[in-house]
Amino acid sequence: MKRTPLYDVHVGLGARMIGFGGWEMPVSYTDIVEEHLAVRSKAGLFDLSHMGEIEISGTGALELIQRLTTNDASKLAPGQVQYSLMLYPDGGIVDDLLVYRFAGHYMLVVNASNTGKDFEWIREHASGDVAVRDVSHETALVAIQGPFSESILQRVTDFDLSSLGYYRFAEASISVLDGKARRACVISRTGYTGEDGFEIYIDRNYAREAWETLLETGKPEGLVPVGLGARDSLRLEAAYSLYGHEINEETLPYEAGLGWVVKVDKGDFVGREALLKAKERGLVRKLVGLELVERGVPRAGFKIVKGAEEVGYLTSGTFSPSLQKGIGLGYVSTQEARPGNELAVMIRNKPVGAKVVKTPFVESHVKK
Amino acid sequence: MYPEDLKYTEKHEWVRLEGNRAVIGITSHAQDQLGAIVGIGLPQVGDVVEQGQELADIDSMKTADVIYAPVSGTVVEVNKKLEEHPELINDDPYGEGWVAVIEISNEEEIGSLMSAEEYRALVEEGEEGH
């Protein structure tokens, strides 16, 4: 199993480690609920160095990205980030990703377990003056998320964070080792929690300095390290899709509620024809949010029923620490997808009452 | 970690014998493995259970688990407080985190329960296997 440059730090902090997409990662340091609530009320620090980073450069870079992704990357100015999807010709999803536009190149940030597959997929489609480079192994990624993120991070960087909007990034530096050194990094106002926050890309050799500096700096505000357990419950409350759960090679962007990142008018791209046909046929199922109205914790794979009839299945589920009840995302047949619809989730062969709700489950606090 | 005056099961329940009553909970090892406990489904007073049968179900952030009846008998008390505060099982597994009381119908079953020493050995054996 692969380890991030922060592996020893996690073990030193007493984290419980688990296997995740081929990586040995911290699932929690103290308690998932405590870590979750710290991010909602104060701030949390995450090691996301397992994520993949792929650089694309050359005069044909934009054309390649336009052909492989669903969103319109031509709209990106340097310093901007875009959420997007890569599709197979049949409209199924290769991966979801972030596209960063730098002055002279692009960086795609992809799911850890898909990095190899994505890299091959991009290389297969590359032609002309394009260079595609997998820089994942050189790049560490640390995220700070929560309402106090800006004030904590601001104390270790000269860059004026108040000027950085949501889905914007800057090539900046952070000061480490008690101010004795400064390390170049990319600071991006993005995240996967529904809170304000930043993702910091930094050379793997400086990951430890950056992590320790941030953790120490944020202590007075209550910054704590947060593992993958709370990362999952936070993203679920925010109703963000996770590859392998809500989206995969068999789901269409429209049924997953991701039509907003599909720009069919931007020109041709892989999967476009299939999406147009699917739209014409109409959707047979839709991803919805479900809240349990009785006690229980829904989990991925559980059946969704209406009376005796099976109408769908859960793709993710958890106990929501913010709402103190079970929540889940799942696919149901289109006619059952309206908010307020009363359904049930099968938990240990018993139907447990649930209703369709609008998402996100918890109000978003990202920077507007 | 494993009080000497309690009896234990392989499924990580503990039993405190009070005459013909058995107070039941889960061990500190079990709650530690489950992580943050967020819900519990309790039996009802009057339920008749057999040794090894499902007594209650329990949800943590990580997983769902079942608490089995360590002895046969009738449920005479349940810890209703856990419905509002399931985290008491994490905080105080042998005290405030008790789950139910069973009036024992077959005293011979007590002999099948483990001592603290035997249970500790079982847990340590499991940990070496990791």
Side-chain angles (χ1 to χ4, degrees):
Chain A
M1 245 187 310
K2 288 183 266 190
R3 292 175 174 178
T4 78
L6 293 168
Y7 175 85
D8 291 338
V9 177
H10 303 317
V11 172
L13 287 165
R16 282 174 198 265
M17 308 298 287
I18 54 154
F20 178 80
W23 292 78
E24 210 172 339
M25 298 297 290
V27 64
S28 81
Y29 298 83
T30 55
D31 176 287
I32 296 175
V33 174
E34 277 173 29
E35 292 166 27
H36 180 112
L37 296 175
V39 173
R40 290 272 178 256
S41 63
K42 296 166 186 149
L45 193 63
F46 301 74
D47 176 16
L48 307 176
S49 301
H50 59 312
M51 300 287 284
E53 292 86 12
I54 297 169
E55 270 182 18
I56 303 182
S57 56
T59 53
L62 176 60
E63 197 189 323
L64 175 64
I65 292 166
Q66 287 289 68
R67 194 157 75 245
L68 286 181
T69 65
T70 60
N71 210 333
D72 188 355
S74 73
K75 294 262 170 31
L76 285 173
Q80 294 186 343
V81 192
Q82 186 177 70
Y83 180 61
S84 196
L85 301 168
M86 290 197 290
L87 303 184
Y88 291 108
D90 69 359
I93 298 173
V94 177
D95 205 358
D96 63 338
L97 67 159
L98 293 178
V99 180
Y100 283 75
R101 185 177 173 193
F102 289 79
H105 70 278
Y106 291 84
M107 176 173 76
L108 311 188
V109 180
V110 301
N111 282 295
S113 56
N114 288 339
T115 307
K117 173 184 89 172
D118 292 352
F119 181 58
E120 286 309 315
W121 181 253
I122 295 164
R123 271 216 313 207
E124 275 169 33
H125 289 83
S127 61
D129 176 27
V130 175
V132 182
R133 213 160 70 88
D134 181 356
V135 296
S136 308
H137 60 289
E138 305 157 26
T139 313
L141 173 54
V142 171
I144 181 167
Q145 300 276 303
F148 299 158
S149 301
E150 183 179 314
S151 65
I152 295 167
L153 182 57
Q154 190 64 78
R155 293 212 295 281
V156 293
T157 182
D158 292 337
F159 182 81
D160 175 15
L161 295 172
S162 67
S163 69
L164 195 66
Y166 191 48
Y167 271 67
R168 299 287 189 275
F169 73 94
E171 291 173 86
S173 68
I174 67 165
S175 109
V176 295
L177 304 172
D178 296 324
K180 288 191 205 63
R182 230 187 252 202
R183 307 296 184 206
C185 63
V186 166
I187 298 177
S188 167
R189 196 160 208 147
T190 46
Y192 198 47
T193 61
E195 296 299 323
D196 186 23
F198 302 88
E199 296 180 306
I200 301 157
Y201 299 86
I202 192 164
D203 186 296
R204 66 169 288 133
N205 295 310
Y206 303 134
R208 186 175 187 136
E209 294 173 1
W211 173 277
E212 286 173 348
T213 297
L214 284 167
L215 204 52
E216 195 56 37
T217 305
K219 240 183 206 150
E221 279 102 328
L223 177 70
V224 295
V226 180
L228 292 184
R231 179 166 160 84
D232 193 55
S233 53
L234 288 159
R235 71 96 193 164
L236 249 176
E237 285 185 347
Y240 293 143
S241 285
L242 173 62
Y243 194 87
H245 287 254
E246 286 67 43
I247 53 175
N248 59 41
E249 59 282 352
E250 284 168 4
T251 59
L252 298 173
Y254 296 126
E255 55 194 22
L258 295 174
W260 61 281
V261 294
V262 177
K263 303 290 155 68
V264 289
D265 297 331
K266 73 165 186 172
D268 197 23
F269 58 86
V270 179
R272 181 174 179 272
E273 280 305 309
L275 290 193
L276 291 176
K277 280 188 192 138
K279 218 173 186 178
E280 225 176 78
R281 281 196 306 269
L283 297 182
V284 295
R285 61 176 188 171
K286 243 182 108 178
L287 188 70
V288 296
L290 285 176
E291 253 180 36
L292 294 199
V293 296
E294 297 176 83
R295 189 194 74 83
V297 180
R299 317 251 179 207
F302 287 7
K303 286 175 187 160
I304 302 168
V305 298
K306 176 149 197 161
E309 190 197 352
E310 189 174 330
V311 296
Y313 64 97
L314 287 172
T315 49
S316 296
T318 188
F319 176 80
S320 160
S322 304
L323 303 175
Q324 292 286 307
K325 60 175 109 168
I327 60 168
L329 292 171
Y331 282 102
V332 296
S333 46
T334 313
Q335 65 270 23
E336 302 297 345
R338 66 182 186 284
N341 191 19
E342 288 175 12
L343 301 172
V345 174
M346 294 303 290
I347 301 181
R348 288 188 286 272
N349 296 319
K350 277 177 253 167
V352 176
K355 66 170 196 261
V356 177
V357 295
K358 283 191 182 149
T359 55
F361 297 97
V362 171
E363 192 193 345
S364 166
H365 295 105
V366 300
K367 174 121 171 166
K368 287 289 173 307
Chain B
M1 269 225 306
Y2 310 117
E4 293 293 329
D5 59 326
L6 304 183
K7 299 283 187 190
Y8 299 86
T9 72
E10 285 177 5
K11 302 277 180 63
H12 309 287
E13 291 93 16
W14 58 259
V15 177
R16 176 179 292 119
L17 294 168
E18 296 174 348
N20 69 336
R21 288 158 45 102
V23 185
I24 291 151
I26 66 168
T27 66
S28 61
H29 173 73
Q31 66 78 25
D32 190 51
Q33 292 293 307
L34 285 166
I37 292 168
V38 296
I40 187 159
L42 293 168
Q44 290 188 344
V45 170
D47 283 358
V48 176
V49 292
E50 288 199 26
Q51 188 180 37
Q53 255 188 1
E54 180 172 338
L55 177 69
D57 61 73
I58 194 164
D59 278 304
S60 76
M61 283 301 281
K62 276 190 281 184
T63 187
D65 204 1
V66 170
I67 303 174
Y68 298 95
V71 290
S72 306
T74 306
V75 176
V76 291
E77 269 185 68
V78 295
N79 187 358
K80 282 273 175 202
K81 231 177 171 180
L82 296 181
E83 289 181 341
E84 284 299 306
H85 296 287
E87 72 280 3
L88 286 172
I89 300 176
N90 293 118
D91 297 344
D92 189 9
Y94 303 114
E96 294 262 302
W98 66 277
V99 174
V101 179
I102 291 177
E103 203 170 77
I104 301 169
S105 62
N106 180 359
E107 296 209 353
E108 280 175 25
E109 287 171 357
I110 296 168
S112 65
L113 301 173
M114 283 186 272
S115 68
E117 196 184 330
E118 287 167 323
Y119 180 69
R120 188 180 305 114
L122 177 92
V123 170
E124 280 166 9
E125 199 177 302
E127 277 167 1
E128 277 162 28
H130 277 272

